[in-house]
Amino acid sequence: MNKFLHAGIIASATVILDQLTKYTIQSSLPLWSSKTIIPNFFNLVHAVNKGAAFGFLNRADITWQRGFFIVITLIALGVIYYLIKSMNKIYKVQVTALSLLLGGAVGNLIDRILFGQVTDFLDFYIGNYHWPAFNVADIALTVGAFMMIIAVYINKNDGSDNITN
């Protein structure tokens, strides 16, 4: 399969799943409310975040986050495109990883452009200790980043050079 087709399918599926799940939460759960799914472990919540991972720059007293994160995301999308284009062979793990990064970035970019903030809804916790709420795009970004790390490590050990012309 063509590497751009492979990337497009995975990224598109990621964006669609991300946007559908966010829409479902936005239309069924009032903002800042939660619904217990597994007591003392998992809730569905309707939260928003103007910042980045772990609430970085999620502050009401600054107003430049939206533009900043849109520009950073557009730069990242360009880098991802360049990396996919630069691969001289089809490496499914790397293309899949980059596709997940692409889909996750676009999913959260849509929220930033439309709403100025990202909708989060998955809330895992033990007792009073909560992991920051996240969404499908965040999962794709995390899985894609770990896949890239693993792929780079594996390729480093087998002597291959797959991101050069």
Side-chain angles (χ1 to χ4, degrees):
M1 179 185 311
N2 174 296
K3 61 187 172 184
F4 286 106
L5 178 60
H6 179 99
I9 290 169
I10 293 171
S12 295
T14 301
V15 171
I16 290 167
L17 181 61
D18 177 64
Q19 290 299 301
L20 282 175
T21 55
K22 288 174 181 174
Y23 174 78
T24 301
I25 291 298
Q26 292 164 346
S27 61
S28 64
L29 202 58
L31 185 60
W32 304 119
S33 65
S34 67
K35 180 178 180 180
T36 300
I37 304 300
I38 302 173
N40 297 315
F41 183 68
F42 176 62
N43 292 335
L44 285 177
V45 299
H46 183 178
V48 293
N49 180 3
K50 290 183 179 187
F54 307 110
F56 174 69
L57 295 177
N58 184 25
R59 297 180 19 201
D61 63 332
I62 54 177
T63 58
W64 49 265
Q65 306 102 312
R66 182 183 198 175
F68 175 74
F69 287 119
I70 288 172
V71 168
I72 294 296
T73 302
L74 292 173
I75 292 169
L77 295 177
V79 170
I80 291 167
Y81 172 80
Y82 172 78
L83 290 172
I84 293 171
K85 183 180 178 205
S86 298
M87 291 181 180
N88 60 0
K89 297 179 187 174
I90 296 177
Y91 288 86
K92 288 183 181 177
V93 173
Q94 290 91 329
V95 172
T96 301
L98 291 168
S99 304
L100 289 169
L101 292 171
L102 178 66
V106 169
N108 282 338
L109 177 64
I110 291 169
D111 281 19
R112 289 188 195 288
I113 290 170
L114 295 179
F115 311 113
Q117 57 197 4
V118 174
T119 297
D120 292 319
F121 58 89
L122 300 168
D123 175 35
F124 286 89
Y125 64 100
I126 297 176
N128 291 327
Y129 300 99
H130 288 253
W131 188 258
F134 56 97
N135 57 47
V136 171
D138 297 336
I139 294 168
L141 290 164
T142 302
V143 171
F146 278 113
M147 286 178 70
M148 279 304 293
I149 291 167
I150 291 167
V152 167
Y153 177 76
I154 290 170
N155 289 333
K156 178 181 175 191
N157 288 339
D158 75 6
S160 63
D161 181 15
N162 63 353
I163 304 186
T164 61
N165 291 325

